[in-house]
């Protein structure tokens, strides 16, 4: 029985999963999260150190370090997903501006408030893990638009215009389209897209917080290790 299971995992299941993992869209999300993990580690370490304040009240408050490391996780991912996707799609010349556009759209979709004096107010918690789903969605949307636009150019290949100038003009239209869509959703239709995403994924959050969900969350890392072993 065990031999049949291992044969199925190695010869049938693993190759299919490997194909999915190598898909540039899934790989970009994975690479973005993995690249941002050091921020999580720093934030976790600071949180552990902050607990010592209960024993040694004289220790400085390091919580702000956590706010600007782990607390910026979603913000960083919104930049890295378009960055990695354009790189994997062989449009490396557009990866930086695509990442920057992903970051800008993410901040726009966080539904900031503006005072009459021109001050902008964000909810800090939305920049971190709470905004992860929003960061992934905005990052993938920017990736799709920029990747599609990168296949076309306003200039001929033999143009005498410098490449960096060509890149500027080629990115103007997709960036404009992306930001207009964000502007319409947030400032014209007055939709808090962050709350929409939270509402959509709230059933998933409820499942994870249940006992079966907890068991599943513990099993997934073990399964991932086993899968990596099978994939060699």
């Amino acid at each position: 029985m065990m031999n049949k299971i291992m044969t199925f995992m190695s010869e049938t299941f693993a190759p299919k999963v490997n194909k999915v993992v190598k898909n540039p869209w899934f790989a970009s999300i994975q690479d973005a999260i993995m690249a941002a993990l050091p921020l999580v580690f720093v934030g976790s370490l600071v949180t552990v150190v902050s607990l010592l304040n209960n024993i040694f009240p004289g220790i400085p408050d390091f919580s702000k370090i956590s706010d600007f490391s782990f607390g910026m996780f979603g913000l960083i991912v919104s930049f890295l997903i378009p960055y990695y996707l354009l790189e994997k799609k062989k449009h490396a010349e557009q990866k930086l501006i695509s990442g920057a556009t992903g970051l800008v759209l993410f901040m726009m979709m966080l539904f900031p408030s503006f005072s009459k004096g021109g001050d902008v107010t964000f909810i800090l918690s939305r920049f971190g893990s709470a905004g992860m789903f929003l960061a992934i969605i905005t990052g993938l949307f920017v990736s799709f638009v920029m990747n599609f636009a990168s296949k076309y150019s306003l200039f001929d290949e033999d143009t005498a215009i410098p490449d960096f100038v060509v890149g500027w003009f080629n990115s103007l239209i997709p960036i404009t389209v992306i930001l207009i869509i964000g502007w319409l959703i947030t400032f014209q239709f007055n939709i808090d897209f962050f709350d929409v995403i939270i509402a959509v994924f709230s059933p998933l959050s409820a499942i994870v917080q249940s006992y079966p969900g907890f068991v599943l969350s513990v099993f997934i890392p073990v399964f991932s290790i086993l899968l990596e072993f099978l994939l060699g």
Side-chain angles (χ1 to χ4, degrees), residues 107-123:
M107 294 185 66
M108 186 182 293
M109 303 301 284
L110 289 178
F111 206 73
S113 60
F114 295 83
S115 68
K116 293 182 178 180
D119 296 328
V120 184
T121 303
F122 289 92
I123 300 175

Side-chain angles (χ1 to χ4, degrees), residues 192-217:
D192 189 342
F193 204 69
F194 179 89
D195 284 343
V196 173
I197 297 300
I198 293 299
V200 170
F201 287 97
S202 58
L204 179 61
S205 176
I207 292 174
V208 173
Q209 293 177 8
S210 65
Y211 179 75
F214 172 75
V215 174
L216 179 63
S217 66

